[in-house]
Amino acid sequence: GAVVSQHPSWVICKSGTSVKIECRSLDFQATTMFWYRQFPKQSLMLMATSNEGSKATYEQGVEKDKFLINHASLTLSTLTVTSAHPEDSSFYICSARVPREVNQPQHFGDGTRLSIL
Amino acid sequence: AQSVTQLDSQVPVFEEAPVELRCNYSSSVSVYLFWYVQYPNQGLQLLLKYLSGSTLVKGINGFEAEFNKSQTSFHLRKPSVHISDTAEYFCAVMTPNAGGTSYGKLTFGQGTILTVHP
């Protein structure tokens, strides 16, 4: 149980375009989802916490207008990288919390490799 | 505030040798501790966790870790590694009583790349 699906797994696009990444909880309802960015050979950097039905909470230094997060339902959160540029190329990972599950705080998707040309 | 330090960025070992990946944390409150594994181009998979009780916890794939409160450490061990254990390993902490938007937040270490050679 507690499967998180992330789509697409890999995307390549031209500079200036916007890219949407989806994160779905397949067999549970997730009131909270997290979005991370991971640079090569580095740890996961939390970008924002996505709460269903409310605005996302962004970490310090993360541009809200650049990385738009929408959590419109209990099973879907989306991250849109607007007007993407090569420096936005990275590995993006989402995770979701199972409500009231204290012993495994987050279940992770398989990540999205974003490459901006 | 919490922080996690993984003391080794890379650990090369030979197959069937024992391995220890080190993790130290800093926190002013009680924490839960986790080890995750990440294979290339994949998300994170939970290896094991310490919430309370016995300080020696066993996880999947033959891994175990020991919580040492006095040394604020949570080192990961495996007595005999396989080629398939080659991956990156992350230590993480969570404050169980954090409220509001901090609930469920994980703080990760920098990661340790384990490379198992034949």
Side-chain angles (χ1 to χ4, degrees):
Chain A
V3 177
V4 176
S5 174
Q6 196 170 335
H7 178 81
S9 56
W10 198 296
V11 59
I12 302 173
C13 60
K14 293 181 180 179
S15 182
T17 59
S18 293
V19 179
K20 181 184 283 188
I21 302 170
E22 293 185 348
C23 181
R24 294 181 185 274
S25 56
L26 297 186
D27 49 1
F28 65 100
Q29 294 183 330
T31 54
T32 303
M33 291 185 174
F34 301 88
W35 287 97
Y36 295 87
R37 182 173 182 176
Q38 186 179 28
F39 293 101
K41 299 185 180 181
Q42 293 189 29
S43 188
L44 281 73
M45 181 192 79
L46 180 65
M47 299 173 66
T49 303
S50 169
N51 297 294
E52 187 270 336
S54 64
K55 290 182 179 180
T57 303
Y58 289 83
E59 296 298 304
Q60 191 172 6
V62 178
E63 297 177 61
K64 301 177 182 181
D65 296 332
K66 177 74 171 177
F67 299 99
L68 299 178
I69 292 173
N70 184 283
H71 194 158
S73 79
L74 287 171
T75 59
L76 175 64
S77 176
T78 60
L79 168 67
T80 301
V81 183
T82 61
S83 187
H85 293 285
E87 59 266 26
D88 298 321
S89 298
S90 191
F91 192 55
Y92 293 87
I93 303 175
C94 75
S95 69
R97 278 195 55 232
V98 177
R100 296 176 294 281
E101 183 184 63
V102 297
N103 59 353
Q104 183 163 195
Q106 297 176 29
H107 297 267
F108 289 84
D110 279 341
T112 296
R113 175 74 58 191
L114 175 62
S115 297
I116 309 297
L117 304 178
Chain B
Q2 310 158 0
S3 66
V4 180
T5 303
Q6 291 181 240
L7 298 162
D8 307 294
S9 59
Q10 297 191 52
V11 174
V13 293
F14 287 108
E15 195 173 17
E16 298 183 4
V19 71
E20 178 180 82
L21 306 184
R22 297 180 293 169
C23 172
N24 286 89
Y25 69 94
S26 173
S27 177
S28 58
V29 297
S30 297
V31 296
Y32 291 163
L33 295 150
F34 305 85
W35 274 100
Y36 288 89
V37 60
Q38 183 181 33
Y39 298 101
N41 292 312
Q42 292 188 26
L44 274 66
Q45 179 183 3
L46 181 67
L47 271 181
L48 48 78
K49 58 186 180 286
Y50 172 78
L51 307 180
S52 64
S54 173
T55 57
L56 182 63
V57 292
K58 294 187 183 297
I60 62 172
N61 301 343
F63 284 93
E64 63 181 33
E66 185 157 19
F67 170 59
N68 188 317
K69 188 174 182 179
S70 62
Q71 297 186 7
T72 60
S73 67
F74 190 54
H75 301 332
L76 181 71
R77 302 186 185 100
K78 185 169 182 178
S80 176
V81 294
H82 302 292
I83 298 288
S84 59
D85 293 322
T86 295
E88 188 159 16
Y89 293 79
F90 291 96
C91 181
V93 301
M94 184 190 89
T95 303
N97 297 319
T101 57
S102 294
Y103 185 75
K105 262 189 182 179
L106 289 166
T107 301
F108 287 93
Q110 301 90 329
T112 298
I113 297 174
L114 174 64
T115 304
V116 181
H117 298 282

